[in-house]
Amino acid sequence: MLEKIINILGEPTNGFSKGQEFGKSKKLRPHTQWNLEIDFGNSNMQACINEILGFYNANDLSVINSECEADIFCMASSDNGQGSFTLDAEIYQKLVEARLNITFDFYSD
Protein backbone atom coordinates (compact mmCIF):
# COMPACT_ATOMS: atom_id res chain seq x y z
CA MET A 1 0.00 0.00 0.00
CA LEU A 2 2.89 2.43 0.71
CA GLU A 3 3.96 2.16 -2.94
CA LYS A 4 0.43 3.06 -4.05
CA ILE A 5 0.45 6.17 -1.85
CA ILE A 6 3.94 7.12 -3.09
CA ASN A 7 2.70 6.87 -6.68
CA ILE A 8 0.04 9.48 -5.84
CA LEU A 9 1.79 11.78 -3.34
CA GLY A 10 5.47 11.23 -4.09
CA GLU A 11 8.21 10.27 -1.66
CA PRO A 12 7.35 10.76 2.01
CA THR A 13 9.64 12.27 4.61
CA ASN A 14 9.32 8.85 6.19
CA GLY A 15 6.87 5.98 6.09
CA PHE A 16 6.37 2.27 6.45
CA SER A 17 4.13 -0.55 5.24
CA LYS A 18 1.67 -2.70 7.13
CA GLY A 19 3.36 -5.93 8.20
CA GLN A 20 6.87 -4.44 8.15
CA GLU A 21 9.01 -5.45 11.13
CA PHE A 22 10.18 -2.79 13.59
CA GLY A 23 11.97 -2.59 16.93
CA LYS A 24 14.23 -5.09 18.66
CA SER A 25 11.32 -7.47 19.23
CA LYS A 26 10.54 -7.38 15.49
CA LYS A 27 6.89 -6.46 15.97
CA LEU A 28 4.84 -6.03 12.81
CA ARG A 29 3.44 -2.65 11.80
CA PRO A 30 -0.38 -2.67 12.19
CA HIS A 31 -0.94 -0.16 9.36
CA THR A 32 0.78 1.68 6.51
CA GLN A 33 1.89 5.24 7.17
CA TRP A 34 3.07 7.99 4.80
CA ASN A 35 4.46 11.11 6.53
CA LEU A 36 5.24 14.59 5.28
CA GLU A 37 7.21 16.60 7.82
CA ILE A 38 7.50 20.37 7.61
CA ASP A 39 9.98 22.22 9.79
CA PHE A 40 8.44 25.64 10.09
CA GLY A 41 11.58 27.30 11.41
CA ASN A 42 10.71 30.99 11.37
CA SER A 43 7.17 30.46 10.03
CA ASN A 44 4.22 30.16 12.34
CA MET A 45 2.05 27.09 12.95
CA GLN A 46 -0.77 28.48 10.80
CA ALA A 47 1.57 28.92 7.82
CA CYS A 48 2.70 25.30 8.11
CA ILE A 49 -0.85 23.98 8.37
CA ASN A 50 -1.77 26.10 5.35
CA GLU A 51 1.14 24.55 3.44
CA ILE A 52 0.01 21.03 4.36
CA LEU A 53 -3.58 21.81 3.37
CA GLY A 54 -2.35 23.17 0.04
CA PHE A 55 -0.39 19.98 -0.59
CA TYR A 56 -3.36 17.81 0.44
CA ASN A 57 -5.85 19.70 -1.73
CA ALA A 58 -3.51 19.71 -4.74
CA ASN A 59 -3.45 15.91 -4.91
CA ASP A 60 -6.21 13.63 -6.17
CA LEU A 61 -6.70 11.15 -3.35
CA SER A 62 -9.96 9.72 -4.71
CA VAL A 63 -8.12 6.56 -5.82
CA ILE A 64 -7.20 5.67 -2.23
CA ASN A 65 -9.84 7.49 -0.14
CA SER A 66 -11.76 4.29 0.62
CA GLU A 67 -8.55 2.60 1.82
CA CYS A 68 -6.91 5.44 3.74
CA GLU A 69 -7.45 7.83 6.58
CA ALA A 70 -5.70 11.21 6.54
CA ASP A 71 -5.09 13.67 9.35
CA ILE A 72 -2.69 16.40 10.37
CA PHE A 73 -0.45 15.91 13.40
CA CYS A 74 1.44 18.91 14.78
CA MET A 75 4.18 18.68 17.39
CA ALA A 76 5.43 21.81 19.12
CA SER A 77 8.41 21.89 21.43
CA SER A 78 9.65 24.65 23.70
CA ASP A 79 12.73 24.74 25.87
CA ASN A 80 11.35 27.52 28.06
CA GLY A 81 7.72 26.44 28.56
CA GLN A 82 6.39 29.56 26.84
CA GLY A 83 4.85 30.13 23.47
CA SER A 84 1.54 30.03 21.68
CA PHE A 85 -0.05 30.19 18.27
CA THR A 86 -3.40 31.16 16.82
CA LEU A 87 -5.37 29.49 14.06
CA ASP A 88 -7.83 31.76 12.32
CA ALA A 89 -11.29 30.93 10.98
CA GLU A 90 -9.91 30.52 7.44
CA ILE A 91 -7.76 27.56 8.55
CA TYR A 92 -10.71 25.97 10.37
CA GLN A 93 -12.83 26.34 7.23
CA LYS A 94 -10.13 24.73 5.09
CA LEU A 95 -9.87 21.82 7.54
CA VAL A 96 -13.64 21.34 7.48
CA GLU A 97 -13.74 21.44 3.68
CA ALA A 98 -10.91 18.90 3.48
CA ARG A 99 -12.63 16.79 6.17
CA LEU A 100 -9.32 16.58 8.06
CA ASN A 101 -8.79 16.22 11.78
CA ILE A 102 -5.84 17.95 13.39
CA THR A 103 -3.93 16.82 16.47
CA PHE A 104 -1.54 18.98 18.50
CA ASP A 105 1.18 17.49 20.68
CA PHE A 106 3.13 19.89 22.92
CA TYR A 107 6.43 19.33 24.67
CA SER A 108 7.98 21.82 27.05
CA ASP A 109 10.92 21.67 29.42
Side-chain angles (χ1 to χ4, degrees):
M1 181 63 171
L2 182 58
E3 292 78 25
K4 191 173 184 179
I5 298 170
I6 289 171
N7 287 335
I8 296 168
L9 298 178
E11 286 295 322
T13 305
N14 58 57
F16 51 81
S17 293
K18 181 178 180 176
Q20 184 179 7
E21 291 182 352
F22 72 100
K24 291 180 182 180
S25 62
K26 298 192 184 254
K27 293 181 181 179
L28 300 181
R29 300 274 186 190
H31 60 273
T32 297
Q33 189 166 315
W34 183 98
N35 297 314
L36 173 64
E37 292 181 18
I38 296 176
D39 179 7
F40 61 91
N42 293 331
S43 299
N44 62 35
M45 183 74 73
Q46 181 160 307
C48 289
I49 294 168
N50 224 3
E51 187 175 334
I52 292 169
L53 284 166
F55 176 84
Y56 180 83
N57 290 327
N59 288 281
D60 180 11
L61 303 177
S62 61
V63 177
I64 58 173
N65 270 348
S66 64
E67 304 172 70
C68 295
E69 181 180 307
D71 62 7
I72 298 174
F73 177 85
C74 301
M75 193 277 291
S77 180
S78 172
D79 60 359
N80 64 14
Q82 300 296 312
S84 66
F85 62 90
T86 301
L87 301 178
D88 66 23
E90 182 180 331
I91 287 289
Y92 292 122
Q93 185 63 38
K94 287 179 180 180
L95 288 165
V96 168
E97 289 169 3
R99 301 185 54 82
L100 287 173
N101 292 322
I102 188 164
T103 301
F104 295 98
D105 198 5
F106 297 95
Y107 295 90
S108 62
D109 291 336

